[in-house]
């Protein structure tokens, strides 16, 4: 439900398409990825030994302009689908490889289905045209059945006959990819914001620790950035490209290996840059806890008494509506805020969130549900402020995440019910008992320690054992006068509301004091 806000129209810049190679087994996907990598290298990076980091970029030319194309280096639709299942969209376009000497096979059809379901345009690479018995026309014919009609046949799908083995027509294939991308997609992103992206591959490296290949979707990732991906967090210590070169800044569509996570993120996890390490950690911890809870809930068959207790305990609730300048910050803010749990007594609920200014609709919802509106890097629109004043809705504006968190934390603490601690006041020993038909038991006592105070709480002790708690001292007298308190060493008369009381019993007076919270 997060918007795809990338800043204003004039902040958007063209970014390279991200391409996945799909097709039936043995039709030449791996070979094609190899020959694309070898046919073209990024300028100034020639000679670098190419490493498999999960994705690479190549520099090519279209109509006299130099253009980059990013390839996901894992062939097949399985990785593509796994990432989609996690909500990540890491691919803009698919190259469907079909061997010209074989034809459309089951996995060819699967690949088409997956790409079409994801709304990803397809360019067809008819491979192995060097082979005897290759019949590229037959492939074109077969694919019409699946909605892929070649331009030559009056359709709008580009087909390129290639030989991955001999490196034939690789340039033409790249050109077709760019032409299709330009015609079908609006591939622009704002490079001038905190980076957001997808982890496409991650592992634990013996020497370097957790290493994740990240594909930048928007913004620029820089060394030193605080990052969170799924339940992993850290700070970018180093970035390395597919040639083993260090990268200082990674722009949209650029794949880089990121070193600096404290644990290994999952493939398909969304990466987010946040203001500071503390918040990255808070978000990661929160996700971790959620994962553990989900797992615990699965394995728990019966509700325990503790759960029931927790459920019955009254909780106050602080409702929030979050508005921010882009989906990444809104998500980060929500994750960080929900991470603030205060003794489980006050519950924080984000009832609505979105990208853009604070609107009248937001104010109406806030008014109806008694919520506070948080505007992060955004302001109120139209008559929203007026309406908020009229309805008594609190709108707060922030531009630094931790300030928002600090203030919300304070607001939550303000909602806490006080916690009390017991303070013993003193003890009095019962020396004599009188019964009064009017007031019940009157106990003649000697205060043996501390003080005894009127209206204090008290308990009755017999042989150092509590016989009854919450005995009320309803009246206190000293030498026939009403007294508010009587000190150690003095005698006094108490009226108590307990019938099983004996000479020799001890009355212990105590108070409950509000405990300060930090
Ligand atoms: P994948 O399973 O789709 O990744 O297929 P591979 O890239 O592993 O290729 C399967 C086999 O086909 C390998 O033996 C490749 O050398 C061979 N192959 C791939 N492309 C071509 C081609 O253009 N021409 C010929 N003759 N063989 C090819």
């Amino acid at each position: 439900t997060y918007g795809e806000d990338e800043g204003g129209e004039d902040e958007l810049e063209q970014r390279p398409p991200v391409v996945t190679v799909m097709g039936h087994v043995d039709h030449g996907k791996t070979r094609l990825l190899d020959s694309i990598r070898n046919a073209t290298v990024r300028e100034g990076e020639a000679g670098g030994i190419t490493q498999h980091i999960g994705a690479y970029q190549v520099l090519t030319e279209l109509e006299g302009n130099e253009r980059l194309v990013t390839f996901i280096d894992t062939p097949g639709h399985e990785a593509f689908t796994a990432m989609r299942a996690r909500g990540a969209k890491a691919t803009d376009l698919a190259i469907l490889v079909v061997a010209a000497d074989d034809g459309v096979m089951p996995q060819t059809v699967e690949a088409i289905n997956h790409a079409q379901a994801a709304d990803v345009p397809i360019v067809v690479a008819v491979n192995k045209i060097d082979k005897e018995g290759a019949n590229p026309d037959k492939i074109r014919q077969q694919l019409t059945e699946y909605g892929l009609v070649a331009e030559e046949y009056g359709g709008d799908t580009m087909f390129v006959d290639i030989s991955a083995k001999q490196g034939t027509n690789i340039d033409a294939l790249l050109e077709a990819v760019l032409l299709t991308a330009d015609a079908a997609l609006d591939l622009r992103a704002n490079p001038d914001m905190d980076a957001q992206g997808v982890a496409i591959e991650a592992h634990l490296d013996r020497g370097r620790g957790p290493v994740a290949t990240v594909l930048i979707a928007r913004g620029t990732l820089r060394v030193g950035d605080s990052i969170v991906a799924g339940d992993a967090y850290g700070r970018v210590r180093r970035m390395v490209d597919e040639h083993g070169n260090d990268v200082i800044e990674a722009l949209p569509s650029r794949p880089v290996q990121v070193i600096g996570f404290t644990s290994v993120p999952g493939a398909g996890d969304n990466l987010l840059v946040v203001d500071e390490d503390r918040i990255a950690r808070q978000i990661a911890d929160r996700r971790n806890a959620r994962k553990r809870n989900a797992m615990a809930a699965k394995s728990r068959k019966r509700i325990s008494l503790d759960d029931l207790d927790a459920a019955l305990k009254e909780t106050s609730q602080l409702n929030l509506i979050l508005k921010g300048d882009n989906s990444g910050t809104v998500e980060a803010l929500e994750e960080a805020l929900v991470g603030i749990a205060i003794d489980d007594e006050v519950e924080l609920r984000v009832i609505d969130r979105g990208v853009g200014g604070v609107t009248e609709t937001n104010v109406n919802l806030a008014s109806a549900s008694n919520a506070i509106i948080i505007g992060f890097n955004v302001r109120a629109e139209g008559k929203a402020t007026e309406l908020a004043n009229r309805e008594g809705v609190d709108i707060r504006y922030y531009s630094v995440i931790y300030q928002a968190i600090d203030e919300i934390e304070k607001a939550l603490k303000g909602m806490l019910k006080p916690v009390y601690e017991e303070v013993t006041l003193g003890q009095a020993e019962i020396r004599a008992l009188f019964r009064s038909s009017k007031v019940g038991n009157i106990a003649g006592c000697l205060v043996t320690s501390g003080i005894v105070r009127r209206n204090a709480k008290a308990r009755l002790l017999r042989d150092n054992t509590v016989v009854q708690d919450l005995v009320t001292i309803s009246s206190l007298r000293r030498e026939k006068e009403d007294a508010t308190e009587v000190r150690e060493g003095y005698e006094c008369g108490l009226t108590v509301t307990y019938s099983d009381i004996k000479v020799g019993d001890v009355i212990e007076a105590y108070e409950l004091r509000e405990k300060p919270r930090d």
Side-chain angles (χ1 to χ4, degrees), residues 24 26-31 127-128 130-131 163-165:
H24 195 70
D26 276 347
H27 279 198
K29 301 181 291 292
T30 309
R31 196 65 189 255
N127 192 28
K128 305 195 187 184
D130 60 291
K131 281 183 94 169
S163 166
K165 190 179 180 184

Side-chain angles (χ1 to χ4, degrees), residues 7 127 152 171 237 275 336 375 434 447 513:
N127 192 28
E152 310 90 282
D171 285 347
R237 260 195 296 132
D275 294 345
F434 317 92
V447 179
R513 285 204 192 132

Side-chain angles (χ1 to χ4, degrees), residues 274-292:
V274 295
D275 294 345
E276 49 171 329
D277 294 355
R278 187 170 70 100
I279 292 158
R281 185 196 184 125
Q282 209 167 356
I283 295 169
D285 285 353
R286 174 73 197 165
R287 288 180 175 159
N288 240 317
R290 205 187 288 157
K291 204 158 79 179
R292 274 200 309 273

Side-chain angles (χ1 to χ4, degrees), residues 7-48:
E9 188 72 15
D10 48 341
E11 288 160 284
L12 301 181
E13 286 176 25
Q14 196 175 45
R15 65 170 179 85
V18 180
V19 180
T20 298
V21 174
M22 304 189 199
H24 195 70
V25 64
D26 276 347
H27 279 198
K29 301 181 291 292
T30 309
R31 196 65 189 255
L32 175 61
L33 279 164
D34 285 345
S35 60
I36 291 169
R37 196 182 4 228
N38 297 333
T40 38
V41 278
R42 283 184 65 136
E43 208 175 8
E45 284 165 347

Side-chain angles (χ1 to χ4, degrees), residues 39 67 78 112 167 212 217 273 309 410 451 470 477 488 517:
R67 297 279 297 270
E78 293 82 3
I112 295 169
V273 167
D309 247 16
K410 283 197 194 107
I451 57 172
L470 292 176
R477 302 197 124 203
E488 182 181 338
R517 304 217 191 211

Side-chain angles (χ1 to χ4, degrees), residues 121-339:
I122 295 171
V123 170
V124 180
V126 182
N127 192 28
K128 305 195 187 184
I129 53 161
D130 60 291
K131 281 183 94 169
E132 226 171 290
N135 187 350
D137 276 339
K138 189 185 101 188
I139 308 299
R140 281 170 174 72
Q141 226 136 44
Q142 285 182 333
L143 284 176
T144 54
E145 262 184 63
Y146 302 93
L148 298 175
V149 182
E151 288 184 315
E152 310 90 282
Y153 291 9
D156 54 11
T157 301
M158 296 191 77
F159 280 65
V160 184
D161 296 340
I162 65 162
S163 166
K165 190 179 180 184
Q166 299 183 343
T168 313
N169 270 346
I170 301 301
D171 285 347
L173 180 61
L174 291 175
E175 198 177 296
V177 163
L178 284 168
L179 287 171
T180 301
D182 288 353
L185 305 163
D186 178 19
L187 296 180
R188 293 185 301 164
N190 178 4
D192 198 21
M193 57 184 272
D194 285 342
Q196 296 171 24
V198 182
I200 55 172
E201 204 176 278
H203 67 278
L204 189 63
D205 185 278
R206 250 199 224 172
R208 300 181 295 170
V211 170
T213 297
V214 167
L215 193 59
I216 310 300
R218 56 188 75 92
T220 300
L221 186 64
R222 294 185 173 86
V223 170
D225 282 347
S226 299
I227 46 173
V228 56
D231 56 14
Y233 72 96
R235 183 189 282 211
V236 182
R237 260 195 296 132
R238 217 188 135 193
M239 291 191 284
V240 180
D241 70 9
E242 64 270 29
H243 306 288
N245 297 324
D246 270 88
V247 177
I248 306 302
E249 293 187 328
L251 289 163
S253 297
R254 181 92 191 258
V256 278
Q257 260 193 343
V258 172
I259 298 147
F261 277 106
T262 55
S263 61
V264 183
D269 280 342
N270 285 307
L271 171 118
L272 208 65
V273 167
V274 295
D275 294 345
E276 49 171 329
D277 294 355
R278 187 170 70 100
I279 292 158
R281 185 196 184 125
Q282 209 167 356
I283 295 169
D285 285 353
R286 174 73 197 165
R287 288 180 175 159
N288 240 317
R290 205 187 288 157
K291 204 158 79 179
R292 274 200 309 273
N293 284 345
M295 274 174 355
K298 248 188 222 168
S299 65
R300 194 166 48 215
K301 290 185 187 69
R302 298 182 46 204
I303 296 176
S304 74
L305 276 178
D306 280 351
D307 295 330
L308 208 59
D309 247 16
L312 290 173
K313 195 154 104 189
E314 216 187 316
T315 57
S316 329
Q317 187 171 305
L318 178 64
N319 289 334
L320 293 176
I321 295 175
L322 307 181
K323 297 300 296 273
D325 57 336
N326 69 65
S327 54
T329 44
V330 174
E331 188 184 351
L333 195 62
E334 174 164 1
E335 297 278 3
L337 287 173
V338 174

Side-chain angles (χ1 to χ4, degrees), residues 10 21 30 101 113 123 194 236 333 348 382 391 399 402 444 449 494:
D10 48 341
V21 174
T30 309
D101 64 338
N113 290 338
V123 170
D194 285 342
V236 182
L333 195 62
L348 186 146
E391 299 285 325
S399 55
Y402 75 81
S449 70
L494 293 171

